[in-house]
Amino acid sequence: MAMTGVLRPGHAQVRVLNLEESVRFYRDVLGLVETGRDAQGRVYFKCWDERDHSSYVIREADSAGLDFFAFKVLDKATLEKLDADLQAYGLKTERIPAGEMLATGERVRFELPSGHLMELYAEKTAVGNGLGVVNPAPWGREREHGIGPVRLDHALLYGPNVAEVQKIFTEVLGFYLVERVLTPDGENNAAIWLSCSHKVHDIAFAEYPEKGKLHHCSFLMETWEQVLRAGDIMSMNKVAVDIGPTRHGVTRGCTIYAWDPSGNRFETFMGGYQPYPDNTEPLTWTFDNFGQGLDYPQRKLHETFLTVVT
Ligand code: M3P
Ligand code: FE
């Protein structure tokens, strides 16, 4: 197999202010599939076409935001190796036993210098997408419920020390830099888009003084038409929309940013291009062109993009 190491985003655990209101939002408006609840009161969701048990988990808390973001790795040997590599690099890691999250194997957790908790895991129970694996239909009822994204695609996180974060992802975890926005003096990166795959990004970070902030979790739609339909559904349900529908210059992704009932931003997204790891020259945006990077048609650096995080 050509894909090894870290495979893809696996799960995000997000704090919400009112659990049942959020369940209704994520299940009936965003159209995720509820797959379980645990003794801690967490509610587990997956997107309709994901085969693993869960990719988005919510728990009720006094403040919104991200508890942790996890990547699935190829297998247990890879998990052991990456844990050793992280420690050799100088990061402290922690093991969370299998079963602490429903249907999920042992996790390796570590804190980034940006203040975000990251996890790696190798095993999660496959529950399938409901269409079977023999002569499957291309889609089923679950895609038609709510917005109905295909998968959890990526996250954009805000925090300090983005240069150190970039080193950890590129030197230890096997990611490569796809795009970046420079700081106003052109000396450093204000924001970075990293891929561990053929996707235009699996995770992104922006420099921000406060640690551990969530800018958005992004959900993949299949077509631009589906992004526009997502916008219709948001409006029908009075969802607070931040930006879009529009296209990012950075990644060329077609997007809507909106907020869940607790103020956690999420994105419905499609498109972009397909980089390979031999893309050694990241696409670079100067700070004065950040507006096009964010919103290509409007060339507008929306104030909320820089200031509203949970
Ligand atoms: C994305 C995304 C910029 C934002 C780009 C955002 C340059 O690519 O997926 O959210 O401001
Ligand atoms: Fe995004």
Side-chain angles (χ1 to χ4, degrees):
M1 194 187 321
M3 272 186 84
T4 58
V6 178
L7 298 181
R8 57 184 162 81
H11 56 244
Q13 182 170 306
V14 172
R15 297 185 300 276
V16 298
L17 304 180
N18 179 311
L19 192 70
E20 289 311 322
E21 178 191 33
S22 302
V23 168
R24 284 194 296 279
F25 172 78
Y26 280 108
R27 186 190 55 207
D28 299 333
V29 181
L30 190 52
L32 305 184
V33 181
E34 185 180 332
T35 54
R37 297 190 181 211
D38 69 15
Q40 292 181 33
R42 294 180 291 190
V43 183
Y44 294 65
F45 297 96
K46 67 186 268 302
C47 300
W48 74 267
D49 203 22
E50 288 173 323
R51 297 190 190 188
D52 280 0
H53 176 270
S54 44
S55 58
Y56 198 80
V57 179
I58 59 173
R59 85 173 166 93
E60 189 169 277
D62 293 336
S63 65
L66 180 75
D67 280 340
F68 49 79
F69 192 83
F71 292 94
K72 192 173 192 189
V73 306
L74 180 64
D75 53 22
K76 284 188 89 165
T78 306
L79 188 67
E80 296 302 329
K81 178 176 186 308
L82 290 172
D83 187 1
D85 292 349
L86 287 164
Q87 290 184 45
Y89 186 84
L91 288 167
K92 261 215 302 269
T93 66
E94 178 193 353
R95 295 280 179 143
I96 300 177
E100 194 276 336
M101 283 177 78
L102 291 183
T104 305
E106 191 178 23
R107 288 131 68 201
V108 170
R109 178 182 285 181
F110 57 100
E111 186 175 338
L112 291 171
S114 56
H116 299 97
L117 291 181
M118 292 285 121
E119 296 183 349
L120 306 174
Y121 67 93
E123 294 175 330
K124 203 184 277 278
T125 307
V127 298
N129 65 2
L131 302 169
V133 293
V134 180
N135 306 329
W139 51 271
R141 197 164 39 89
E142 282 164 347
R143 190 184 77 160
E144 303 303 286
H145 182 71
I147 290 170
V150 180
R151 67 165 187 241
L152 174 68
D153 190 86
H154 64 267
L156 169 57
L157 307 179
Y158 274 34
N161 306 312
V162 164
E164 285 174 53
V165 169
Q166 181 179 333
K167 269 170 73 84
I168 292 163
F169 275 91
T170 56
E171 293 178 18
V172 187
L173 298 174
F175 287 60
Y176 60 102
L177 182 65
V178 181
E179 302 207 19
R180 60 184 172 157
V181 175
L182 299 176
T183 48
D185 63 9
E187 297 290 316
N188 294 292
N189 296 334
I192 56 173
W193 284 260
L194 297 157
S195 179
C196 62
S197 67
H198 192 31
K199 287 163 55 190
V200 70
H201 54 334
D202 289 293
I203 194 156
F205 290 89
E207 190 73 35
Y208 192 72
E210 226 180 310
K211 282 188 153 193
K213 292 294 174 184
L214 171 65
H215 187 277
H216 67 269
C217 288
S218 184
F219 295 92
L220 183 70
M221 306 306 300
E222 290 165 282
T223 64
W224 173 231
E225 194 84 36
Q226 288 271 321
V227 175
L228 294 178
R229 178 177 173 276
D232 293 340
I233 293 173
M234 288 175 196
S235 194
M236 287 170 194
N237 289 280
K238 310 271 188 299
V239 172
V241 173
D242 179 17
I243 302 177
T246 186
R247 180 213 278 280
H248 297 303
V250 174
T251 75
R252 298 186 205 149
C254 302
T255 176
I256 303 174
Y257 284 155
W259 288 286
D260 81 355
S262 310
N264 293 302
R265 191 188 280 95
F266 67 98
E267 177 178 40
T268 53
F269 159 92
M270 65 76 59
Y273 57 95
Q274 290 84 43
Y276 278 96
D278 64 346
N279 262 33
T280 47
E281 212 175 348
L283 301 187
T284 298
W285 298 77
T286 53
F287 196 85
D288 59 354
N289 222 33
F290 208 151
Q292 277 192 326
L294 176 60
D295 185 337
Y296 201 79
Q298 293 202 72
R299 302 186 297 280
K300 187 169 165 191
L301 185 48
H302 301 256
E303 175 67 19
T304 51
F305 181 82
L306 298 175
T307 56
V308 179
V309 289
T310 53

